[in-house]
Amino acid sequence: MAMYIRVKRNKITYFIQCEPTETILNIKEKLFALVDHPVNDYRLTLVTTNEILNDSKTLADQKVENDAVVALSLRKDDNDFEDVNIARPDDFTSFS
Amino acid sequence: MSMEDTVKLISAEGFEFVIDRKAAMVSNTIRNMLTSPGGFSEAQHGEVRFPEISTPILEKICQYFYWSLQFASGKESEFHIDPEMTLELMMAANYLHT
């Protein structure tokens, strides 16, 4: 395993093993096994730069490195994508 | 990668981490939960709850699992740990036999 990335949405984090030469589409296909939505409905954003990742480019091309955090947003019913949302545990500790 | 090859670890605050089964097996405690015949319900659902482990610590542990796999395959790098989380991390590592 050359690298892994952390794909986050709300309270879920998926650790995905990958190679720097894989394209974003390859990553989305891997996610498909875990997320109950079609690949077309995914948008991945590199959290450090807020850049939306391009399906046809590789991880290396877009400077996605080992241990990087990538946000997953899903397409909503009105065809737009939802906003990037990654929950943080601090938001919940006040309730416990 | 498919559903059967992954396990879900759930933190005290209910945050979920989906990791490769192989990575989770770095922990002897989780390995026992997932492989012991019949016993644990965790083995059937591929889900393990850790009500005692906070989200940042559990994430760090998952990162450690992957770092450990990379290290075993010959890629040497440092594993960075923030001083503030050292104690909590050691207690969790002790529990997980990691």
Side-chain angles (χ1 to χ4, degrees):
Chain A
M1 172 188 49
M3 62 182 280
Y4 68 90
I5 57 171
R6 288 176 282 159
V7 178
K8 290 179 179 254
R9 177 171 179 265
N10 299 340
K11 293 173 83 173
I12 297 200
T13 302
Y14 305 95
F15 280 67
I16 306 289
Q17 292 193 42
C18 45
E19 303 288 330
T21 50
E22 284 180 273
T23 63
I24 299 303
L25 189 62
N26 295 146
I27 301 298
K28 289 183 178 177
E29 282 161 356
K30 289 185 184 182
L31 274 173
F32 176 64
L34 307 169
V35 183
D36 193 19
H37 286 271
V39 169
N40 261 338
D41 291 351
Y42 304 162
R43 177 147 85 188
L44 297 176
T45 311
L46 184 60
V47 169
T48 43
T49 58
N50 226 0
E51 216 173 310
I52 295 172
L53 299 172
N54 188 321
D55 271 1
S56 55
K57 290 192 188 165
T58 67
L59 291 166
D61 284 345
Q62 300 179 95
K63 308 241 169 359
V64 181
E65 292 173 342
N66 189 38
D67 195 41
V69 176
V70 173
L72 169 66
S73 1
L74 298 177
R75 197 188 294 275
K76 296 184 294 186
D77 294 337
D78 61 5
N79 222 23
D80 282 343
F81 282 95
E82 62 188 7
D83 292 333
V84 167
N85 180 22
I86 298 175
R88 288 152 36 97
D90 318 354
D91 305 341
F92 295 86
T93 43
S94 56
F95 299 105
S96 61
Chain B
M1 184 152 141
S2 71
M3 218 62 125
E4 290 77 48
D5 300 328
T6 61
V7 288
K8 188 186 273 185
L9 308 185
I10 305 171
S11 75
E13 295 89 2
F15 280 60
E16 303 179 349
F17 296 94
V18 179
I19 66 173
D20 290 272
R21 191 169 277 264
K22 197 173 130 210
M25 296 287 195
V26 170
S27 158
N28 284 325
T29 304
I30 299 178
R31 174 191 291 269
N32 287 339
M33 286 173 174
L34 294 175
T35 55
S36 59
F40 292 95
S41 66
E42 285 88 349
Q44 285 135 36
H45 300 106
E47 261 185 35
V48 190
R49 284 181 182 275
F50 295 103
E52 318 264 290
I53 303 181
S54 71
T55 307
I57 298 292
L58 191 57
E59 176 152 33
K60 200 71 187 172
I61 287 168
C62 294
Q63 288 172 280
Y64 173 77
F65 291 159
Y66 281 86
W67 178 87
S68 171
L69 291 183
Q70 289 176 337
F71 193 85
S73 66
K75 181 182 167 187
E76 290 195 31
S77 59
E78 292 214 357
F79 187 70
H80 178 77
I81 294 171
D82 291 333
E84 307 88 74
M85 65 160 60
T86 315
L87 179 62
E88 223 186 314
L89 197 57
M90 277 188 349
M91 292 192 306
N94 181 47
Y95 169 66
L96 291 172
H97 292 275
T98 299

mmCIF file of all heavy atoms in Angstrom, chain A residues 46-90:
data_model
loop_
_atom_site.group_PDB
_atom_site.id
_atom_site.type_symbol
_atom_site.label_atom_id
_atom_site.label_comp_id
_atom_site.label_asym_id
_atom_site.label_seq_id
_atom_site.Cartn_x
_atom_site.Cartn_y
_atom_site.Cartn_z
ATOM 1 N N LEU A 46 -10.563 18.555 -1.754
ATOM 2 C CA LEU A 46 -9.383 18.468 -0.892
ATOM 3 C C LEU A 46 -9.522 19.531 0.194
ATOM 4 O O LEU A 46 -9.633 20.718 -0.109
ATOM 5 C CB LEU A 46 -8.104 18.682 -1.714
ATOM 6 C CG LEU A 46 -6.780 18.517 -0.966
ATOM 7 C CD1 LEU A 46 -6.644 17.120 -0.382
ATOM 8 C CD2 LEU A 46 -5.608 18.820 -1.887
ATOM 9 N N VAL A 47 -9.550 19.109 1.453
ATOM 10 C CA VAL A 47 -9.926 20.027 2.524
ATOM 11 C C VAL A 47 -8.890 21.136 2.738
ATOM 12 O O VAL A 47 -9.239 22.284 2.957
ATOM 13 C CB VAL A 47 -10.193 19.243 3.833
ATOM 14 C CG1 VAL A 47 -10.317 20.175 5.020
ATOM 15 C CG2 VAL A 47 -11.463 18.415 3.681
ATOM 16 N N THR A 48 -7.608 20.819 2.628
ATOM 17 C CA THR A 48 -6.574 21.822 2.912
ATOM 18 C C THR A 48 -6.625 22.999 1.941
ATOM 19 O O THR A 48 -6.347 24.140 2.324
ATOM 20 C CB THR A 48 -5.164 21.201 2.868
ATOM 21 O OG1 THR A 48 -5.088 20.334 1.733
ATOM 22 C CG2 THR A 48 -4.872 20.406 4.128
ATOM 23 N N THR A 49 -6.978 22.749 0.669
ATOM 24 C CA THR A 49 -6.966 23.834 -0.319
ATOM 25 C C THR A 49 -8.369 24.230 -0.766
ATOM 26 O O THR A 49 -8.538 25.209 -1.494
ATOM 27 C CB THR A 49 -6.215 23.392 -1.594
ATOM 28 O OG1 THR A 49 -6.874 22.226 -2.114
ATOM 29 C CG2 THR A 49 -4.771 23.049 -1.286
ATOM 30 N N ASN A 50 -9.362 23.458 -0.347
ATOM 31 C CA ASN A 50 -10.749 23.696 -0.751
ATOM 32 C C ASN A 50 -10.962 23.510 -2.254
ATOM 33 O O ASN A 50 -11.901 24.051 -2.823
ATOM 34 C CB ASN A 50 -11.177 25.100 -0.341
ATOM 35 C CG ASN A 50 -12.536 25.064 0.315
ATOM 36 O OD1 ASN A 50 -13.128 23.986 0.450
ATOM 37 N ND2 ASN A 50 -13.033 26.217 0.720
ATOM 38 N N GLU A 51 -10.104 22.731 -2.880
ATOM 39 C CA GLU A 51 -10.154 22.523 -4.317
ATOM 40 C C GLU A 51 -11.050 21.329 -4.648
ATOM 41 O O GLU A 51 -10.906 20.273 -4.017
ATOM 42 C CB GLU A 51 -8.742 22.229 -4.799
ATOM 43 C CG GLU A 51 -8.395 22.782 -6.150
ATOM 44 C CD GLU A 51 -6.907 22.570 -6.423
ATOM 45 O OE1 GLU A 51 -6.078 22.915 -5.555
ATOM 46 O OE2 GLU A 51 -6.611 22.020 -7.475
ATOM 47 N N ILE A 52 -11.939 21.489 -5.612
ATOM 48 C CA ILE A 52 -12.762 20.361 -6.054
ATOM 49 C C ILE A 52 -11.920 19.479 -6.966
ATOM 50 O O ILE A 52 -11.292 19.966 -7.907
ATOM 51 C CB ILE A 52 -14.024 20.857 -6.783
ATOM 52 C CG1 ILE A 52 -14.917 21.618 -5.789
ATOM 53 C CG2 ILE A 52 -14.784 19.686 -7.397
ATOM 54 C CD1 ILE A 52 -16.087 22.323 -6.413
ATOM 55 N N LEU A 53 -11.888 18.181 -6.677
ATOM 56 C CA LEU A 53 -10.983 17.284 -7.398
ATOM 57 C C LEU A 53 -11.616 16.805 -8.699
ATOM 58 O O LEU A 53 -12.802 16.470 -8.755
ATOM 59 C CB LEU A 53 -10.595 16.101 -6.505
ATOM 60 C CG LEU A 53 -9.856 16.520 -5.222
ATOM 61 C CD1 LEU A 53 -9.688 15.329 -4.291
ATOM 62 C CD2 LEU A 53 -8.504 17.135 -5.543
ATOM 63 N N ASN A 54 -10.773 16.773 -9.720
ATOM 64 C CA ASN A 54 -11.188 16.458 -11.088
ATOM 65 C C ASN A 54 -11.101 14.954 -11.343
ATOM 66 O O ASN A 54 -10.056 14.349 -11.154
ATOM 67 C CB ASN A 54 -10.241 17.235 -11.998
ATOM 68 C CG ASN A 54 -10.651 17.171 -13.437
ATOM 69 O OD1 ASN A 54 -11.107 16.125 -13.917
ATOM 70 N ND2 ASN A 54 -10.505 18.279 -14.137
ATOM 71 N N ASP A 55 -12.238 14.374 -11.819
ATOM 72 C CA ASP A 55 -12.335 12.924 -12.040
ATOM 73 C C ASP A 55 -11.204 12.325 -12.859
ATOM 74 O O ASP A 55 -10.733 11.232 -12.577
ATOM 75 C CB ASP A 55 -13.632 12.613 -12.809
ATOM 76 C CG ASP A 55 -14.792 12.381 -11.857
ATOM 77 O OD1 ASP A 55 -14.565 12.488 -10.630
ATOM 78 O OD2 ASP A 55 -15.899 12.094 -12.341
ATOM 79 N N SER A 56 -10.799 13.035 -13.907
ATOM 80 C CA SER A 56 -9.869 12.417 -14.859
ATOM 81 C C SER A 56 -8.408 12.585 -14.442
ATOM 82 O O SER A 56 -7.528 11.950 -15.002
ATOM 83 C CB SER A 56 -10.087 13.017 -16.247
ATOM 84 O OG SER A 56 -9.952 14.418 -16.155
ATOM 85 N N LYS A 57 -8.143 13.437 -13.441
ATOM 86 C CA LYS A 57 -6.759 13.636 -13.009
ATOM 87 C C LYS A 57 -6.386 12.669 -11.892
ATOM 88 O O LYS A 57 -7.244 12.146 -11.181
ATOM 89 C CB LYS A 57 -6.569 15.079 -12.535
ATOM 90 C CG LYS A 57 -6.629 16.086 -13.653
ATOM 91 C CD LYS A 57 -6.144 17.421 -13.122
ATOM 92 C CE LYS A 57 -6.346 18.538 -14.135
ATOM 93 N NZ LYS A 57 -6.214 19.846 -13.453
ATOM 94 N N THR A 58 -5.076 12.469 -11.720
ATOM 95 C CA THR A 58 -4.625 11.540 -10.677
ATOM 96 C C THR A 58 -4.489 12.258 -9.342
ATOM 97 O O THR A 58 -4.509 13.486 -9.261
ATOM 98 C CB THR A 58 -3.253 10.926 -11.027
ATOM 99 O OG1 THR A 58 -2.275 11.950 -10.998
ATOM 100 C CG2 THR A 58 -3.267 10.263 -12.394
ATOM 101 N N LEU A 59 -4.319 11.453 -8.304
ATOM 102 C CA LEU A 59 -4.104 12.014 -6.969
ATOM 103 C C LEU A 59 -2.833 12.864 -6.957
ATOM 104 O O LEU A 59 -2.816 13.976 -6.443
ATOM 105 C CB LEU A 59 -3.987 10.874 -5.949
ATOM 106 C CG LEU A 59 -5.273 10.088 -5.691
ATOM 107 C CD1 LEU A 59 -4.961 8.802 -4.940
ATOM 108 C CD2 LEU A 59 -6.274 10.918 -4.902
ATOM 109 N N ALA A 60 -1.760 12.324 -7.568
ATOM 110 C CA ALA A 60 -0.483 13.042 -7.590
ATOM 111 C C ALA A 60 -0.625 14.383 -8.310
ATOM 112 O O ALA A 60 -0.125 15.410 -7.830
ATOM 113 C CB ALA A 60 0.587 12.187 -8.256
ATOM 114 N N ASP A 61 -1.343 14.390 -9.450
ATOM 115 C CA ASP A 61 -1.561 15.626 -10.218
ATOM 116 C C ASP A 61 -2.143 16.731 -9.357
ATOM 117 O O ASP A 61 -1.864 17.909 -9.567
ATOM 118 C CB ASP A 61 -2.606 15.389 -11.337
ATOM 119 C CG ASP A 61 -2.019 14.624 -12.491
ATOM 120 O OD1 ASP A 61 -0.787 14.546 -12.556
ATOM 121 O OD2 ASP A 61 -2.804 14.084 -13.295
ATOM 122 N N GLN A 62 -3.030 16.322 -8.440
ATOM 123 C CA GLN A 62 -3.772 17.331 -7.685
ATOM 124 C C GLN A 62 -3.251 17.480 -6.264
ATOM 125 O O GLN A 62 -3.920 18.005 -5.391
ATOM 126 C CB GLN A 62 -5.264 16.982 -7.719
ATOM 127 C CG GLN A 62 -5.753 16.961 -9.158
ATOM 128 C CD GLN A 62 -7.215 16.610 -9.269
ATOM 129 O OE1 GLN A 62 -8.071 17.479 -9.341
ATOM 130 N NE2 GLN A 62 -7.507 15.328 -9.248
ATOM 131 N N LYS A 63 -2.035 16.967 -6.068
ATOM 132 C CA LYS A 63 -1.323 17.109 -4.795
ATOM 133 C C LYS A 63 -2.101 16.537 -3.604
ATOM 134 O O LYS A 63 -2.136 17.112 -2.515
ATOM 135 C CB LYS A 63 -0.981 18.586 -4.518
ATOM 136 C CG LYS A 63 -0.266 19.294 -5.658
ATOM 137 C CD LYS A 63 1.089 19.767 -5.220
ATOM 138 C CE LYS A 63 1.999 20.263 -6.340
ATOM 139 N NZ LYS A 63 1.533 20.221 -7.716
ATOM 140 N N VAL A 64 -2.758 15.398 -3.853
ATOM 141 C CA VAL A 64 -3.405 14.690 -2.753
ATOM 142 C C VAL A 64 -2.397 13.689 -2.219
ATOM 143 O O VAL A 64 -1.990 12.770 -2.926
ATOM 144 C CB VAL A 64 -4.680 13.953 -3.231
ATOM 145 C CG1 VAL A 64 -5.347 13.241 -2.072
ATOM 146 C CG2 VAL A 64 -5.636 14.941 -3.879
ATOM 147 N N GLU A 65 -1.939 13.908 -0.998
ATOM 148 C CA GLU A 65 -0.852 13.091 -0.461
ATOM 149 C C GLU A 65 -1.354 12.075 0.553
ATOM 150 O O GLU A 65 -2.528 12.065 0.914
ATOM 151 C CB GLU A 65 0.193 14.021 0.171
ATOM 152 C CG GLU A 65 0.897 14.839 -0.898
ATOM 153 C CD GLU A 65 1.814 15.894 -0.328
ATOM 154 O OE1 GLU A 65 1.667 16.243 0.874
ATOM 155 O OE2 GLU A 65 2.685 16.371 -1.077
ATOM 156 N N ASN A 66 -0.422 11.230 0.995
ATOM 157 C CA ASN A 66 -0.735 10.234 2.024
ATOM 158 C C ASN A 66 -1.393 10.908 3.224
ATOM 159 O O ASN A 66 -0.954 11.973 3.659
ATOM 160 C CB ASN A 66 0.563 9.554 2.457
ATOM 161 C CG ASN A 66 0.316 8.360 3.356
ATOM 162 O OD1 ASN A 66 -0.633 7.605 3.170
ATOM 163 N ND2 ASN A 66 1.155 8.193 4.356
ATOM 164 N N ASP A 67 -2.450 10.305 3.767
ATOM 165 C CA ASP A 67 -3.128 10.788 4.973
ATOM 166 C C ASP A 67 -3.962 12.062 4.740
ATOM 167 O O ASP A 67 -4.449 12.665 5.683
ATOM 168 C CB ASP A 67 -2.099 10.986 6.112
ATOM 169 C CG ASP A 67 -2.767 11.118 7.474
ATOM 170 O OD1 ASP A 67 -3.734 10.374 7.730
ATOM 171 O OD2 ASP A 67 -2.338 11.976 8.276
ATOM 172 N N ALA A 68 -4.086 12.481 3.472
ATOM 173 C CA ALA A 68 -4.862 13.691 3.181
ATOM 174 C C ALA A 68 -6.331 13.503 3.577
ATOM 175 O O ALA A 68 -6.847 12.394 3.559
ATOM 176 C CB ALA A 68 -4.775 14.019 1.696
ATOM 177 N N VAL A 69 -6.976 14.625 3.931
ATOM 178 C CA VAL A 69 -8.404 14.590 4.242
ATOM 179 C C VAL A 69 -9.177 15.154 3.041
ATOM 180 O O VAL A 69 -8.901 16.250 2.575
ATOM 181 C CB VAL A 69 -8.726 15.420 5.502
ATOM 182 C CG1 VAL A 69 -10.233 15.443 5.750
ATOM 183 C CG2 VAL A 69 -7.992 14.856 6.702
ATOM 184 N N VAL A 70 -10.119 14.355 2.542
ATOM 185 C CA VAL A 70 -10.916 14.747 1.386
ATOM 186 C C VAL A 70 -12.386 14.713 1.808
ATOM 187 O O VAL A 70 -12.838 13.748 2.420
ATOM 188 C CB VAL A 70 -10.668 13.766 0.216
ATOM 189 C CG1 VAL A 70 -11.598 14.045 -0.941
ATOM 190 C CG2 VAL A 70 -9.214 13.823 -0.239
ATOM 191 N N ALA A 71 -13.114 15.790 1.496
ATOM 192 C CA ALA A 71 -14.529 15.846 1.873
ATOM 193 C C ALA A 71 -15.378 15.248 0.767
ATOM 194 O O ALA A 71 -15.141 15.494 -0.413
ATOM 195 C CB ALA A 71 -14.933 17.288 2.123
ATOM 196 N N LEU A 72 -16.368 14.460 1.142
ATOM 197 C CA LEU A 72 -17.326 13.898 0.187
ATOM 198 C C LEU A 72 -18.627 14.681 0.278
ATOM 199 O O LEU A 72 -19.176 14.851 1.363
ATOM 200 C CB LEU A 72 -17.586 12.420 0.521
ATOM 201 C CG LEU A 72 -18.749 11.737 -0.193
ATOM 202 C CD1 LEU A 72 -18.483 11.624 -1.692
ATOM 203 C CD2 LEU A 72 -19.004 10.349 0.388
ATOM 204 N N SER A 73 -19.099 15.208 -0.859
ATOM 205 C CA SER A 73 -20.449 15.772 -0.877
ATOM 206 C C SER A 73 -21.274 14.995 -1.895
ATOM 207 O O SER A 73 -20.754 14.550 -2.911
ATOM 208 C CB SER A 73 -20.483 17.261 -1.224
ATOM 209 O OG SER A 73 -19.217 17.771 -1.475
ATOM 210 N N LEU A 74 -22.548 14.835 -1.597
ATOM 211 C CA LEU A 74 -23.436 14.076 -2.473
ATOM 212 C C LEU A 74 -24.381 15.026 -3.190
ATOM 213 O O LEU A 74 -24.688 16.111 -2.694
ATOM 214 C CB LEU A 74 -24.239 13.063 -1.654
ATOM 215 C CG LEU A 74 -23.414 11.995 -0.931
ATOM 216 C CD1 LEU A 74 -24.335 11.104 -0.099
ATOM 217 C CD2 LEU A 74 -22.607 11.151 -1.898
ATOM 218 N N ARG A 75 -24.836 14.578 -4.373
ATOM 219 C CA ARG A 75 -25.770 15.379 -5.152
ATOM 220 C C ARG A 75 -27.150 15.347 -4.491
ATOM 221 O O ARG A 75 -27.625 14.300 -4.081
ATOM 222 C CB ARG A 75 -25.852 14.819 -6.568
ATOM 223 C CG ARG A 75 -26.438 15.761 -7.575
ATOM 224 C CD ARG A 75 -26.666 15.053 -8.887
ATOM 225 N NE ARG A 75 -25.433 14.627 -9.544
ATOM 226 C CZ ARG A 75 -24.694 15.402 -10.325
ATOM 227 N NH1 ARG A 75 -25.038 16.662 -10.520
ATOM 228 N NH2 ARG A 75 -23.610 14.940 -10.921
ATOM 229 N N LYS A 76 -27.755 16.509 -4.390
ATOM 230 C CA LYS A 76 -29.092 16.580 -3.783
ATOM 231 C C LYS A 76 -30.151 16.366 -4.860
ATOM 232 O O LYS A 76 -29.837 16.286 -6.044
ATOM 233 C CB LYS A 76 -29.291 17.958 -3.137
ATOM 234 C CG LYS A 76 -28.340 18.225 -1.980
ATOM 235 C CD LYS A 76 -28.649 19.558 -1.315
ATOM 236 C CE LYS A 76 -28.367 20.734 -2.244
ATOM 237 N NZ LYS A 76 -28.522 22.042 -1.580
ATOM 238 N N ASP A 77 -31.404 16.312 -4.442
ATOM 239 C CA ASP A 77 -32.493 16.056 -5.384
ATOM 240 C C ASP A 77 -32.598 17.134 -6.456
ATOM 241 O O ASP A 77 -33.012 16.873 -7.576
ATOM 242 C CB ASP A 77 -33.831 15.976 -4.629
ATOM 243 C CG ASP A 77 -33.855 14.755 -3.718
ATOM 244 O OD1 ASP A 77 -33.089 13.814 -4.008
ATOM 245 O OD2 ASP A 77 -34.624 14.750 -2.736
ATOM 246 N N ASP A 78 -32.227 18.371 -6.126
ATOM 247 C CA ASP A 78 -32.340 19.462 -7.107
ATOM 248 C C ASP A 78 -31.111 19.535 -8.015
ATOM 249 O O ASP A 78 -30.888 20.529 -8.697
ATOM 250 C CB ASP A 78 -32.562 20.801 -6.388
ATOM 251 C CG ASP A 78 -31.399 21.154 -5.472
ATOM 252 O OD1 ASP A 78 -30.397 20.409 -5.471
ATOM 253 O OD2 ASP A 78 -31.493 22.160 -4.753
ATOM 254 N N ASN A 79 -30.280 18.444 -7.987
ATOM 255 C CA ASN A 79 -29.144 18.320 -8.891
ATOM 256 C C ASN A 79 -27.899 19.096 -8.449
ATOM 257 O O ASN A 79 -26.842 18.952 -9.028
ATOM 258 C CB ASN A 79 -29.524 18.723 -10.320
ATOM 259 C CG ASN A 79 -28.911 17.760 -11.315
ATOM 260 O OD1 ASN A 79 -28.602 16.621 -10.947
ATOM 261 N ND2 ASN A 79 -28.712 18.209 -12.535
ATOM 262 N N ASP A 80 -28.043 19.968 -7.441
ATOM 263 C CA ASP A 80 -26.869 20.637 -6.885
ATOM 264 C C ASP A 80 -26.187 19.703 -5.889
ATOM 265 O O ASP A 80 -26.790 18.749 -5.419
ATOM 266 C CB ASP A 80 -27.283 21.902 -6.122
ATOM 267 C CG ASP A 80 -27.590 23.034 -7.072
ATOM 268 O OD1 ASP A 80 -27.168 22.939 -8.244
ATOM 269 O OD2 ASP A 80 -28.251 23.991 -6.634
ATOM 270 N N PHE A 81 -24.948 20.043 -5.568
ATOM 271 C CA PHE A 81 -24.271 19.275 -4.523
ATOM 272 C C PHE A 81 -24.493 19.924 -3.169
ATOM 273 O O PHE A 81 -24.581 21.154 -3.054
ATOM 274 C CB PHE A 81 -22.766 19.184 -4.816
ATOM 275 C CG PHE A 81 -22.437 18.181 -5.870
ATOM 276 C CD1 PHE A 81 -22.284 18.567 -7.196
ATOM 277 C CD2 PHE A 81 -22.297 16.840 -5.538
ATOM 278 C CE1 PHE A 81 -21.994 17.630 -8.177
ATOM 279 C CE2 PHE A 81 -22.010 15.901 -6.507
ATOM 280 C CZ PHE A 81 -21.847 16.288 -7.833
ATOM 281 N N GLU A 82 -24.582 19.081 -2.142
ATOM 282 C CA GLU A 82 -24.689 19.624 -0.787
ATOM 283 C C GLU A 82 -23.372 20.314 -0.428
ATOM 284 O O GLU A 82 -22.345 20.080 -1.051
ATOM 285 C CB GLU A 82 -24.962 18.479 0.207
ATOM 286 C CG GLU A 82 -23.823 17.468 0.240
ATOM 287 C CD GLU A 82 -24.132 16.222 1.061
ATOM 288 O OE1 GLU A 82 -25.276 16.062 1.496
ATOM 289 O OE2 GLU A 82 -23.205 15.429 1.251
ATOM 290 N N ASP A 83 -23.429 21.189 0.591
ATOM 291 C CA ASP A 83 -22.205 21.842 1.053
ATOM 292 C C ASP A 83 -21.322 20.824 1.748
ATOM 293 O O ASP A 83 -21.803 19.822 2.270
ATOM 294 C CB ASP A 83 -22.540 22.970 2.036
ATOM 295 C CG ASP A 83 -23.241 24.120 1.343
ATOM 296 O OD1 ASP A 83 -23.015 24.293 0.122
ATOM 297 O OD2 ASP A 83 -24.013 24.827 2.015
ATOM 298 N N VAL A 84 -20.009 21.114 1.738
ATOM 299 C CA VAL A 84 -19.086 20.258 2.466
ATOM 300 C C VAL A 84 -19.453 20.313 3.944
ATOM 301 O O VAL A 84 -19.638 21.392 4.502
ATOM 302 C CB VAL A 84 -17.633 20.749 2.274
ATOM 303 C CG1 VAL A 84 -16.700 20.071 3.261
ATOM 304 C CG2 VAL A 84 -17.187 20.484 0.840
ATOM 305 N N ASN A 85 -19.632 19.145 4.538
ATOM 306 C CA ASN A 85 -19.974 19.115 5.957
ATOM 307 C C ASN A 85 -19.219 17.996 6.662
ATOM 308 O O ASN A 85 -19.437 16.826 6.394
ATOM 309 C CB ASN A 85 -21.486 18.922 6.128
ATOM 310 C CG ASN A 85 -21.870 18.888 7.593
ATOM 311 O OD1 ASN A 85 -21.133 19.392 8.447
ATOM 312 N ND2 ASN A 85 -23.009 18.277 7.897
ATOM 313 N N ILE A 86 -18.279 18.396 7.509
ATOM 314 C CA ILE A 86 -17.561 17.415 8.316
ATOM 315 C C ILE A 86 -17.823 17.757 9.778
ATOM 316 O O ILE A 86 -17.462 18.840 10.243
ATOM 317 C CB ILE A 86 -16.044 17.454 8.022
ATOM 318 C CG1 ILE A 86 -15.788 17.096 6.555
ATOM 319 C CG2 ILE A 86 -15.300 16.487 8.945
ATOM 320 C CD1 ILE A 86 -14.344 17.218 6.131
ATOM 321 N N ALA A 87 -18.501 16.857 10.472
ATOM 322 C CA ALA A 87 -18.828 17.113 11.872
ATOM 323 C C ALA A 87 -17.571 16.987 12.726
ATOM 324 O O ALA A 87 -16.670 16.215 12.397
ATOM 325 C CB ALA A 87 -19.884 16.130 12.334
ATOM 326 N N ARG A 88 -17.505 17.782 13.773
ATOM 327 C CA ARG A 88 -16.389 17.672 14.707
ATOM 328 C C ARG A 88 -16.928 17.243 16.060
ATOM 329 O O ARG A 88 -18.018 17.648 16.445
ATOM 330 C CB ARG A 88 -15.686 19.032 14.849
ATOM 331 C CG ARG A 88 -14.879 19.423 13.621
ATOM 332 C CD ARG A 88 -14.797 20.935 13.483
ATOM 333 N NE ARG A 88 -14.694 21.610 14.763
ATOM 334 C CZ ARG A 88 -13.533 22.001 15.303
ATOM 335 N NH1 ARG A 88 -12.395 21.795 14.680
ATOM 336 N NH2 ARG A 88 -13.513 22.614 16.466
ATOM 337 N N PRO A 89 -16.152 16.416 16.794
ATOM 338 C CA PRO A 89 -16.676 15.902 18.066
ATOM 339 C C PRO A 89 -16.973 17.003 19.072
ATOM 340 O O PRO A 89 -17.860 16.852 19.897
ATOM 341 C CB PRO A 89 -15.561 14.987 18.576
ATOM 342 C CG PRO A 89 -14.386 15.212 17.695
ATOM 343 C CD PRO A 89 -14.862 15.837 16.439
ATOM 344 N N ASP A 90 -16.294 18.167 18.985
ATOM 345 C CA ASP A 90 -16.535 19.265 19.933
ATOM 346 C C ASP A 90 -17.993 19.706 19.875
ATOM 347 O O ASP A 90 -18.557 20.190 20.849
ATOM 348 C CB ASP A 90 -15.675 20.495 19.612
ATOM 349 C CG ASP A 90 -14.256 20.121 19.239
ATOM 350 O OD1 ASP A 90 -13.935 18.924 19.355
ATOM 351 O OD2 ASP A 90 -13.499 21.000 18.829
#
